[in-house]
Amino acid sequence: MSGLVMTNVGHVAIATAVKNADFWLCLGGLPEDFESPWTIKDKPPAFDPEATELLLPYGYRKATRVLFAYEDPDGIIVVAKRRWSVTEKPTKHVYLEFIFDNEDIIGKTIYQKGIFMNLKPKEGIPEGKLFLLPEEVENKGILVFGQNIKPFYSDEGIRQFHHFVLTF
């Protein structure tokens, strides 16, 4: 007996449902007592699939753009060595773009990235605020994707641009 196979329209339906969620990218570091921090020369350890948050969150940036995408050899978006274009037509791929302002996270070494869905700011935080510190978050929502990365130092001279293509 063979297993169930998700149809292409099933993948598109899930991507369509998820696309309308609020997405936030959290950048994080390592606690001071972390046993064995990795360096830029090391291969980062695998991200723990049981994690529900980053080890030391520094801040959350709301997605600048959330669009459907498709693989395109002539596309101008490059993610994980693959080229993509965006489209209004629903596909099983969702493109996420996050642009951090120079002042968002200054003087920190970033070791982790996490994409959260449906984060809720604390009461009193102005509606439409696109960057939140951890203390401004009532409920971080659901960590749907996480990644340990080669560390980099974040300073005011660098405007960070992060983009991802999620496939469902």
Side-chain angles (χ1 to χ4, degrees), residues 65-159:
R65 296 194 314 159
V66 180
L67 303 165
F68 290 112
Y70 63 95
E71 249 188 290
D72 178 0
D74 298 320
I76 61 169
I77 299 167
V78 180
V79 177
K81 300 179 183 175
R82 293 164 69 184
R83 293 190 166 276
W84 302 87
S85 289
V86 296
T87 180
E88 291 186 24
K89 178 184 175 192
T91 70
K92 67 180 183 177
H93 309 287
V94 177
Y95 170 73
L96 304 176
E97 175 184 273
F98 302 89
I99 301 174
F100 283 76
D101 287 341
N102 297 44
E103 305 84 30
D104 284 348
I105 300 174
I106 299 174
K108 303 288 186 184
T109 302
I110 309 299
Y111 284 86
Q112 292 186 308
K113 296 179 185 181
I115 298 173
F116 289 80
M117 280 177 47
N118 300 325
L119 175 146
K120 181 181 178 201
K122 284 188 175 174
E123 195 171 312
I125 300 297
E127 191 170 324
K129 187 172 181 190
L130 300 177
F131 178 77
L132 300 174
L133 294 169
E135 58 268 19
E136 296 175 306
V137 174
E138 176 74 31
N139 182 331
K140 64 188 170 316
I142 301 166
L143 174 62
V144 289
F145 293 93
Q147 182 181 24
N148 290 329
I149 60 172
K150 290 190 178 209
F152 69 90
Y153 188 75
S154 178
D155 71 23
E156 59 191 292
I158 299 172
R159 187 161 192 214

Side-chain angles (χ1 to χ4, degrees), residues 6-20:
M6 184 176 285
T7 64
N8 288 333
V9 294
H11 287 282
V12 172
I14 291 172
T16 300
V18 168
K19 180 184 170 287
N20 295 321

Side-chain angles (χ1 to χ4, degrees), residues 43-57:
K43 180 179 179 184
F47 193 85
D48 179 4
E50 299 294 322
T52 58
E53 59 189 334
L54 300 187
L55 295 172
L56 181 62

